[in-house]
Amino acid sequence: MLYQVIEFFKNAVAEKIVQDPFWATVGLSGQLIFGFRFILQWIVSEYKKRSHVPTSFWFISIIGSLILLIYSIHIKNPIFIFGFSLNTLIYLRNLHLIYKSHTQKAATIIAKGED
């Protein structure tokens, strides 16, 4: 079993990374950025001593998701294309809701100040 796993990775390195290092780097970069968002969320939650999702989590999610979407289009994988397209829309919607919430809070503060 271990031998098969090692052979799989050796073949993947030979086929993907060595033959096409640019796109391998794009895919790996997207995955690293996408994965970093969880580390960021964990660090912020530890700092605040409660579970917290910072706004930067959503921006990092969009960047990683877009890079992985581009990579998915390059490798012509419809499952990943669909998944990362949907993810990107969800992340944009979350940012829109955050922006709308901040705008409403600011309007409420201004309105109370004018009374």
Side-chain angles (χ1 to χ4, degrees), residues 44-103:
V44 171
S45 292
E46 289 293 332
Y47 176 77
K48 291 187 174 241
K49 304 288 189 236
R50 63 181 174 83
S51 182
H52 179 77
V53 179
T55 304
S56 55
F57 175 92
W58 302 112
F59 284 106
I60 294 170
S61 297
I62 289 171
I63 293 167
S65 191
L66 285 173
I67 293 170
L68 288 169
L69 174 60
I70 291 166
Y71 180 73
S72 299
I73 292 168
H74 171 73
I75 64 171
K76 298 176 179 80
N77 187 315
I79 295 167
F80 291 140
I81 292 170
F82 175 73
F84 289 117
S85 297
L86 183 60
N87 286 354
T88 301
L89 292 175
I90 292 167
Y91 304 146
L92 287 169
R93 177 64 177 154
N94 276 310
L95 282 173
H96 178 259
L97 292 172
I98 291 167
Y99 173 77
K100 199 164 101 173
S101 172
H102 286 286
T103 304

Side-chain angles (χ1 to χ4, degrees), residues 11-27:
N11 290 335
V13 167
E15 289 176 22
K16 299 292 181 188
I17 296 174
V18 173
Q19 290 179 6
D20 198 353
F22 173 77
W23 283 106
T25 303
V26 170

Side-chain angles (χ1 to χ4, degrees), residues 28-55:
L28 182 60
S29 298
Q31 191 59 48
L32 289 171
I33 291 168
F34 198 72
F36 175 72
R37 67 201 183 117
F38 290 114
I39 295 169
L40 173 72
Q41 190 269 331
W42 176 35
I43 291 168
V44 171
S45 292
E46 289 293 332
Y47 176 77
K48 291 187 174 241
K49 304 288 189 236
R50 63 181 174 83
S51 182
H52 179 77
V53 179
T55 304

Side-chain angles (χ1 to χ4, degrees), residues 1-12:
M1 174 75 167
L2 180 60
Y3 176 76
Q4 291 172 329
V5 171
I6 292 170
E7 282 300 309
F8 170 79
F9 280 107
K10 281 175 42 180
N11 290 335

